[in-house]
Amino acid sequence: MNIRGKLIIIGGAVDKGSFTETHLDKNAANNLNFFETGILKRILVESKHNQNSRIEIITTASVIPKEIGPEYVKAFEYLDAKNVGVLYIERREQAAEEAVLERLRNADVVMFTGGDQLRLTSILGGTPFHDILLDKYHNQEFIYAGTSAGAAAASSNMIYQGSSSEALLKGEVKISSGLGFIDGVIIDTHFVQRGRIGRLFQAVVGNPKVLGIGLGEDTGLLITHNTQMEAIGSGLVILVDGREIKDTNLTQVELGQPISINHLVTHVMSKHDTFNLETHKMHIQSSQYV
């Protein structure tokens, strides 16, 4: 299937200043970090009408939506976006309201904020809103962008819980169904800063066909046609490829016991590096061998 939409998944942002501060115009340049000037700008560049694209901020994952939504509006408007709004969907019945669905139909970009990815899937999953999202992503020049929880929920399989320190103990990592925009991957966020690599190891050893994607903060991936991934932002993307695993004790140990894995392949991507999900080949943009 030829996917016309694009995914932009983001690991989260370091808090280096808030757009809700007073004296916005005076301090805006100091408040912008790489996430806001780099990745949000890339969203505009990739969108159908650039700065005139209709952008809807979806705050469903957040428990403080009235604070988070306006912050993103100000961030996009500082980058000269002309047409940004916030859709507050906090109950499943709202995801079937015609006024809400009409705004989604007219959107060129949706930006899902951070929070709890289970709020996203439990509130939006299986609703008319979800159906329209998937249809637009498959058939239109449309961008699904998500940070933190919004990124984790984008794939068909979703990590929703798991201690970083005990992630390689059998059963510690909890996986559920995501929103289903992309198959064959599982995504974790705030990855480097919170030491979550063990969570991806366990997710991948349970099904080595699935590629683990760990997104650092201030870092994202632009995915086109569900095949080509480009690292964007200032940090690192860690890929965990389990297809060459030679052995594991996963099925032999009890719940809560350590997992052993032999020959798990990892890749580290930084800005402008690419990875093809069909060939599993990575290209380093600034390779020392060029």
Side-chain angles (χ1 to χ4, degrees):
M1 180 181 293
N2 182 28
I3 305 293
R4 294 191 62 193
K6 300 173 185 176
L7 282 179
I8 297 180
I9 51 174
I10 308 155
V14 177
D15 185 10
K16 298 177 182 174
S18 171
F19 275 91
T20 59
E21 291 178 5
T22 56
H23 310 299
L24 172 68
D25 294 338
K26 181 179 178 181
N27 296 326
N30 294 328
N31 292 340
L32 283 170
N33 58 26
F34 197 97
F35 168 67
E36 285 142 352
T37 59
I39 298 178
L40 293 194
K41 185 67 175 178
R42 185 64 181 269
I43 291 172
L44 292 178
V45 169
E46 294 290 336
S47 66
K48 184 175 182 180
H49 301 294
N50 306 120
Q51 292 170 334
N52 294 312
S53 291
R54 177 61 186 174
I55 301 170
E56 295 285 2
I57 311 299
I58 313 295
T59 59
T60 304
S62 177
V63 295
I64 50 169
K66 295 298 193 290
E67 296 177 32
I68 294 295
E71 181 129 336
Y72 275 95
V73 172
K74 290 178 181 178
F76 274 113
E77 287 179 346
Y78 185 79
L79 298 173
D80 294 325
K82 313 295 186 187
N83 195 2
V84 188
V86 183
L87 266 176
Y88 297 106
I89 304 172
E90 300 174 29
R91 302 184 310 278
R92 282 185 63 81
E93 56 264 31
Q94 291 176 281
E97 292 176 359
E98 184 55 35
V100 170
L101 300 181
E102 187 62 20
R103 284 180 62 173
L104 176 59
R105 293 187 189 102
N106 292 326
D108 303 300
V109 178
V110 291
M111 176 76 199
F112 281 75
T113 69
D116 181 350
Q117 49 265 47
L118 272 181
R119 284 182 57 83
L120 276 182
T121 55
S122 64
I123 293 174
L124 298 180
T127 64
F129 189 92
H130 187 200
D131 292 340
I132 292 172
L133 263 182
L134 288 168
D135 181 70
K136 286 176 70 72
Y137 179 68
H138 282 93
N139 299 306
Q140 297 182 27
E141 192 176 340
F142 175 74
I143 291 178
Y144 173 103
T147 184
S148 191
S155 53
S156 295
N157 298 298
M158 176 184 81
I159 295 174
Y160 70 89
Q161 185 178 324
S163 164
S164 297
S165 60
E166 298 179 345
L168 275 174
L169 302 182
K170 182 176 178 179
E172 281 296 320
V173 177
K174 306 299 190 295
I175 297 173
S176 182
S177 297
L179 294 175
F181 291 91
I182 184 168
D183 296 325
V185 303
I186 193 162
I187 302 159
D188 211 351
T189 59
H190 300 282
F191 191 72
V192 178
Q193 289 79 355
R194 300 185 187 179
R196 287 179 167 173
I197 193 163
R199 302 202 327 177
L200 274 192
F201 286 170
Q202 181 159 170
V204 169
V205 75
N207 184 359
K209 183 180 180 180
V210 175
L211 180 74
I213 299 175
L215 300 169
E217 293 183 345
D218 293 338
T219 308
L221 281 174
L222 166 65
I223 305 175
T224 54
H225 306 301
N226 275 14
T227 55
Q228 187 75 2
M229 306 194 302
E230 178 192 344
I232 56 178
S234 63
L236 300 174
V237 177
I238 312 295
L239 303 181
V240 178
D241 188 344
R243 294 174 307 138
E244 296 183 26
I245 289 175
K246 297 185 184 303
D247 197 7
T248 177
N249 64 350
L250 179 66
T251 62
Q252 302 303 111
V253 298
E254 301 294 327
L255 288 174
Q257 295 301 304
I259 299 170
S260 301
I261 310 170
N262 180 14
H263 208 264
L264 185 61
V265 175
T266 61
H267 308 278
V268 181
M269 301 175 68
S270 60
K271 187 179 179 182
H272 299 316
D273 293 345
T274 59
F275 187 90
N276 188 290
L277 288 167
E278 293 182 337
T279 64
H280 282 250
K281 299 296 184 183
M282 177 177 165
H283 173 73
I284 296 178
Q285 178 70 18
S286 301
S287 170
Q288 64 185 8
Y289 301 122
V290 174

Tab-separated table of all heavy atoms in Angstrom, residues 13-18 33 71:
chain	number	residue	atom	x	y	z
A	13	ALA	N	10.699	16.887	24.850
A	13	ALA	CA	11.501	18.108	24.823
A	13	ALA	C	12.048	18.422	26.197
A	13	ALA	O	11.356	18.287	27.191
A	13	ALA	CB	10.666	19.292	24.336
A	14	VAL	N	13.288	18.842	26.233
A	14	VAL	CA	13.865	19.366	27.468
A	14	VAL	C	13.237	20.715	27.763
A	14	VAL	O	13.058	21.540	26.873
A	14	VAL	CB	15.395	19.514	27.330
A	14	VAL	CG1	15.990	20.117	28.585
A	14	VAL	CG2	16.028	18.164	27.048
A	15	ASP	N	12.887	20.956	29.008
A	15	ASP	CA	12.232	22.210	29.387
A	15	ASP	C	13.276	23.299	29.557
A	15	ASP	O	13.896	23.442	30.598
A	15	ASP	CB	11.437	22.024	30.677
A	15	ASP	CG	10.641	23.279	31.039
A	15	ASP	OD1	10.566	24.195	30.202
A	15	ASP	OD2	10.108	23.324	32.149
A	16	LYS	N	13.474	24.089	28.506
A	16	LYS	CA	14.451	25.181	28.560
A	16	LYS	C	13.748	26.538	28.478
A	16	LYS	O	14.332	27.527	28.072
A	16	LYS	CB	15.453	25.054	27.411
A	16	LYS	CG	16.280	23.780	27.466
A	16	LYS	CD	17.197	23.695	26.273
A	16	LYS	CE	17.996	22.405	26.297
A	16	LYS	NZ	18.794	22.227	25.069
A	17	GLY	N	12.513	26.576	28.857
A	17	GLY	CA	11.774	27.830	28.770
A	17	GLY	C	10.361	27.572	28.323
A	17	GLY	O	10.103	26.665	27.543
A	18	SER	N	9.436	28.351	28.808
A	18	SER	CA	8.033	28.103	28.542
A	18	SER	C	7.435	29.215	27.702
A	18	SER	O	7.705	30.394	27.915
A	18	SER	CB	7.266	28.005	29.863
A	18	SER	OG	5.886	27.973	29.626
A	33	ASN	N	13.966	26.271	22.194
A	33	ASN	CA	15.045	25.301	22.190
A	33	ASN	C	15.035	24.569	20.851
A	33	ASN	O	14.257	24.884	19.951
A	33	ASN	CB	14.936	24.318	23.365
A	33	ASN	CG	13.619	23.555	23.363
A	33	ASN	OD1	13.015	23.367	22.317
A	33	ASN	ND2	13.188	23.106	24.517
A	71	GLU	N	0.390	26.423	24.781
A	71	GLU	CA	1.846	26.491	24.645
A	71	GLU	C	2.286	26.101	23.240
A	71	GLU	O	3.135	26.749	22.638
A	71	GLU	CB	2.512	25.588	25.690
A	71	GLU	CG	4.009	25.615	25.639
A	71	GLU	CD	4.639	25.871	26.995
A	71	GLU	OE1	3.984	26.455	27.859
A	71	GLU	OE2	5.789	25.485	27.161
